[in-house]
Amino acid sequence: MKLTFLGHAAFQMESGHYTVLIDPFITGNGQTPFKEADFRKVDYILATHGHGDHIGDTVKIAGRTGATVVANAEISGWLAERGIKVHAMHIGGAYRFPFGRVKLTPAFHGSSIEEGGTRYDGGFPCGFLVTMGDVTVYHSGDTGLMLEMKLLEDEHVDVALLPIGGNFTMDVDDAVKAVSFIKPKKVVPMHYDTFDVIKADPAEFAARAASLAEVKILKPGESLEV
Ligand code: NI
Ligand code: MN
């Protein structure tokens, strides 16, 4: 699998003939080197929650490419009303798609969707366990540290994508604890430096998590072969 960091909490996963995006916040993302129009062939989009820095360009990209969006039932309903192809799931549920297996994990956070000054119910936020080929990636979504992460040890996570920016999510201290719970082979820090209140030092995280997992700090636009 080729895993590309798109900046903030946005990632692209490519395996076999499939391209899957997670939380494609591109427009307005000061970290990303990409434009929304750069994503021409997208098969699926996974949306962790309704906040603008995650649902991002989901409607635009899915509308243009015909990608199916995988999200909780509430966000799926909201997207379907906007003409987007969806596959609704919910926390704890798993499903085998043509590209691989997806399981929704809980996240401690909010999920409302803002559109044109109106706030919609985005249900319960989630994270994703995604297995494509023989590689399992865990994207935690926005979340605080939680004991539920200890359950992920049994999922044999190859790469964990974890927020380190604090304020809205785990900070470096709690992300290091999360790595000790999940025991992934590799970990990539995300959700930091995009806004003033989430400034964090990925090198500090790397130093402190080094004994627990292989830490890969990706610059926006960089890829990891796993
Ligand atoms: Ni959020
Ligand atoms: Mn966020």
Side-chain angles (χ1 to χ4, degrees):
M1 180 201 293
K2 184 181 176 190
L3 176 74
T4 304
F5 184 40
L6 309 178
H8 196 55
F11 288 85
Q12 176 175 269
M13 299 180 295
E14 295 163 281
S15 179
H17 298 296
Y18 293 101
T19 301
V20 178
L21 301 180
I22 305 185
D23 285 359
F25 165 50
I26 307 298
T27 305
N29 178 347
Q31 287 201 327
T32 193
F34 300 103
K35 293 187 172 64
E36 176 270 318
D38 292 339
F39 299 90
R40 291 163 183 280
K41 192 246 176 207
V42 181
D43 301 295
Y44 286 84
I45 297 172
L46 314 184
T48 61
H49 64 292
H51 293 161
D53 58 321
H54 295 264
I55 201 142
D57 295 294
T58 295
V59 172
K60 264 194 208 155
I61 296 173
R64 183 167 48 72
T65 63
T68 299
V69 181
V70 179
N72 71 24
E74 292 78 6
I75 292 173
S76 294
W78 183 85
L79 289 168
E81 285 168 5
R82 281 146 188 82
I84 302 302
K85 243 189 291 171
V86 297
H87 182 111
M89 297 181 67
H90 237 303
I91 312 295
Y95 187 79
R96 279 186 196 285
F97 292 89
F99 68 89
R101 177 181 186 261
V102 175
K103 185 176 184 181
L104 266 63
T105 60
F108 284 176
H109 197 66
S111 180
S112 59
I113 308 168
E114 293 233 10
E115 183 193 46
T118 305
R119 192 182 298 262
Y120 297 87
D121 174 23
F124 203 83
C126 74
F128 290 108
L129 275 165
V130 184
T131 305
M132 292 173 79
D134 55 359
V135 175
T136 297
V137 173
Y138 169 58
H139 186 300
S140 71
D142 278 2
T143 184
L145 180 68
M146 52 182 177
L147 281 170
E148 280 74 5
M149 287 173 173
K150 289 198 175 189
L151 296 170
L152 298 176
E153 187 182 347
D154 294 339
E155 303 280 354
H156 307 288
V157 174
D158 293 292
V159 188
L161 314 174
L162 301 178
I164 64 165
N167 193 74
F168 302 110
T169 68
M170 298 187 284
D171 59 9
V172 167
D173 285 343
D174 282 354
V176 171
K177 276 185 203 152
V179 177
S180 77
F181 289 173
I182 301 160
K183 297 185 170 55
K185 289 198 186 89
K186 295 184 170 77
V187 60
V188 177
M190 64 171 182
H191 211 276
Y192 64 94
D193 286 359
T194 324
F195 319 117
D196 284 342
V197 292
I198 61 169
K199 290 244 182 273
D201 181 4
E204 186 200 345
F205 172 72
R208 294 185 44 203
S211 63
L212 303 167
E214 186 183 344
V215 183
K216 295 285 189 185
I217 299 170
L218 299 181
K219 292 197 188 81
E222 276 188 346
S223 299
L224 188 63
E225 287 289 344
V226 278

